[in-house]
Amino acid sequence: MTADDSLDRLDDDDYPAYTMGRAADMLGTTQGFLRAIGEARLITPLRSEGGHRRYSRYQLRIAARARELVDQGTPIEAACRIIILEDQLEEAQRINAEYRRAAESANPTAAA
Protein backbone atom coordinates (compact mmCIF):
# COMPACT_ATOMS: atom_id res chain seq x y z
CA MET A 1 0.00 0.00 0.00
CA THR A 2 1.38 3.42 -0.94
CA ALA A 3 1.11 6.62 1.05
CA ASP A 4 -1.54 7.83 -1.42
CA ASP A 5 -3.61 4.68 -0.77
CA SER A 6 -3.46 5.34 2.97
CA LEU A 7 -4.66 8.92 2.49
CA ASP A 8 -7.56 7.74 0.31
CA ARG A 9 -8.68 5.35 3.06
CA LEU A 10 -9.00 8.23 5.53
CA ASP A 11 -12.16 9.28 3.66
CA ASP A 12 -13.62 5.81 4.35
CA ASP A 13 -16.04 5.91 7.33
CA ASP A 14 -15.17 2.31 8.15
CA TYR A 15 -11.38 2.68 8.09
CA PRO A 16 -9.99 2.18 11.62
CA ALA A 17 -7.87 5.33 11.68
CA TYR A 18 -8.10 6.32 15.35
CA THR A 19 -6.31 4.89 18.36
CA MET A 20 -8.21 4.45 21.59
CA GLY A 21 -6.50 7.47 23.14
CA ARG A 22 -7.25 9.70 20.15
CA ALA A 23 -10.85 8.45 19.98
CA ALA A 24 -11.40 9.18 23.68
CA ASP A 25 -9.93 12.67 23.26
CA MET A 26 -12.14 13.38 20.24
CA LEU A 27 -15.24 12.28 22.15
CA GLY A 28 -14.27 14.01 25.37
CA THR A 29 -14.56 10.76 27.27
CA THR A 30 -12.32 8.15 28.85
CA GLN A 31 -10.74 5.06 27.40
CA GLY A 32 -12.72 3.12 30.00
CA PHE A 33 -15.94 4.37 28.42
CA LEU A 34 -14.82 3.04 25.04
CA ARG A 35 -13.93 -0.29 26.64
CA ALA A 36 -17.35 -0.42 28.33
CA ILE A 37 -19.30 0.13 25.11
CA GLY A 38 -17.09 -2.49 23.49
CA GLU A 39 -17.91 -4.95 26.28
CA ALA A 40 -21.60 -4.13 25.78
CA ARG A 41 -21.04 -5.07 22.11
CA LEU A 42 -22.20 -1.72 20.83
CA ILE A 43 -19.01 -1.37 18.79
CA THR A 44 -16.19 -3.78 18.13
CA PRO A 45 -12.97 -1.95 17.40
CA LEU A 46 -10.52 -3.50 15.02
CA ARG A 47 -7.12 -4.42 16.37
CA SER A 48 -3.77 -3.29 15.00
CA GLU A 49 -1.03 -5.84 14.41
CA GLY A 50 0.21 -4.99 17.90
CA GLY A 51 -3.23 -5.70 19.39
CA HIS A 52 -4.23 -2.08 20.01
CA ARG A 53 -7.85 -0.99 19.51
CA ARG A 54 -8.52 1.13 16.43
CA TYR A 55 -11.77 2.99 15.75
CA SER A 56 -13.43 4.21 12.57
CA ARG A 57 -15.38 7.45 12.16
CA TYR A 58 -18.58 5.41 11.98
CA GLN A 59 -17.77 3.81 15.34
CA LEU A 60 -16.97 7.20 16.81
CA ARG A 61 -20.41 8.50 15.78
CA ILE A 62 -22.03 5.55 17.57
CA ALA A 63 -19.84 6.12 20.63
CA ALA A 64 -20.79 9.82 20.61
CA ARG A 65 -24.49 8.88 20.63
CA ALA A 66 -23.86 6.53 23.57
CA ARG A 67 -22.03 9.27 25.43
CA GLU A 68 -24.93 11.65 24.79
CA LEU A 69 -27.37 9.20 26.36
CA VAL A 70 -25.07 8.48 29.30
CA ASP A 71 -24.58 12.20 29.88
CA GLN A 72 -28.40 12.49 30.11
CA GLY A 73 -28.39 9.91 32.91
CA THR A 74 -29.02 6.68 31.00
CA PRO A 75 -27.03 3.71 32.33
CA ILE A 76 -24.38 2.62 29.83
CA GLU A 77 -25.90 -0.83 29.22
CA ALA A 78 -29.31 0.75 28.54
CA ALA A 79 -27.77 3.38 26.27
CA CYS A 80 -26.10 0.66 24.22
CA ARG A 81 -29.36 -1.28 23.95
CA ILE A 82 -31.25 1.85 22.88
CA ILE A 83 -28.75 2.53 20.12
CA ILE A 84 -28.89 -1.06 18.91
CA LEU A 85 -32.70 -0.92 18.81
CA GLU A 86 -32.63 2.44 17.00
CA ASP A 87 -30.32 0.92 14.41
CA GLN A 88 -32.57 -2.13 13.98
CA LEU A 89 -35.62 0.11 13.58
CA GLU A 90 -33.88 2.24 10.96
CA GLU A 91 -32.89 -0.89 9.02
CA ALA A 92 -36.44 -2.29 9.19
CA GLN A 93 -37.85 1.01 7.93
CA ARG A 94 -35.35 1.02 5.06
CA ILE A 95 -36.35 -2.53 4.07
CA ASN A 96 -40.06 -1.69 4.29
CA ALA A 97 -39.54 1.32 2.01
CA GLU A 98 -37.74 -0.91 -0.51
CA TYR A 99 -40.63 -3.39 -0.44
CA ARG A 100 -43.15 -0.58 -0.94
CA ARG A 101 -41.21 0.80 -3.92
CA ALA A 102 -40.93 -2.67 -5.44
CA ALA A 103 -44.65 -3.34 -4.96
CA GLU A 104 -45.60 0.02 -6.46
CA SER A 105 -43.41 -0.51 -9.51
CA ALA A 106 -44.79 -4.05 -9.99
CA ASN A 107 -48.39 -2.82 -9.76
CA PRO A 108 -48.51 0.90 -10.65
CA THR A 109 -52.34 1.04 -10.86
CA ALA A 110 -52.73 -0.09 -7.23
CA ALA A 111 -50.65 2.86 -6.06
CA ALA A 112 -52.93 5.35 -7.85
Side-chain angles (χ1 to χ4, degrees), residues 3 10-11 14 26 34-35 56 61 76 79 87 91-92 94 96-98 105 108 111:
L10 291 176
D11 289 335
D14 296 318
M26 290 171 68
L34 291 173
R35 279 189 214 93
S56 68
R61 283 196 300 273
I76 197 162
D87 187 54
E91 178 66 9
R94 185 191 62 74
N96 283 341
E98 286 178 14
S105 62

Side-chain angles (χ1 to χ4, degrees), residues 25-92:
D25 287 345
M26 290 171 68
L27 296 171
T29 191
T30 65
Q31 293 181 18
F33 176 80
L34 291 173
R35 279 189 214 93
I37 63 174
E39 290 169 9
R41 299 182 196 269
L42 179 61
I43 59 175
T44 303
L46 294 172
R47 298 281 182 153
S48 68
E49 289 181 18
H52 300 282
R53 291 174 179 88
R54 306 282 296 193
Y55 297 88
S56 68
R57 287 189 302 196
Y58 174 74
Q59 290 172 322
L60 294 183
R61 283 196 300 273
I62 293 171
R65 174 71 175 125
R67 179 166 185 244
E68 178 183 304
L69 289 170
V70 169
D71 287 350
Q72 294 172 1
T74 306
I76 197 162
E77 297 83 11
C80 292
R81 185 67 182 138
I82 288 167
I83 294 166
I84 290 167
L85 290 170
E86 287 174 342
D87 187 54
Q88 290 172 345
L89 175 60
E90 184 179 320
E91 178 66 9

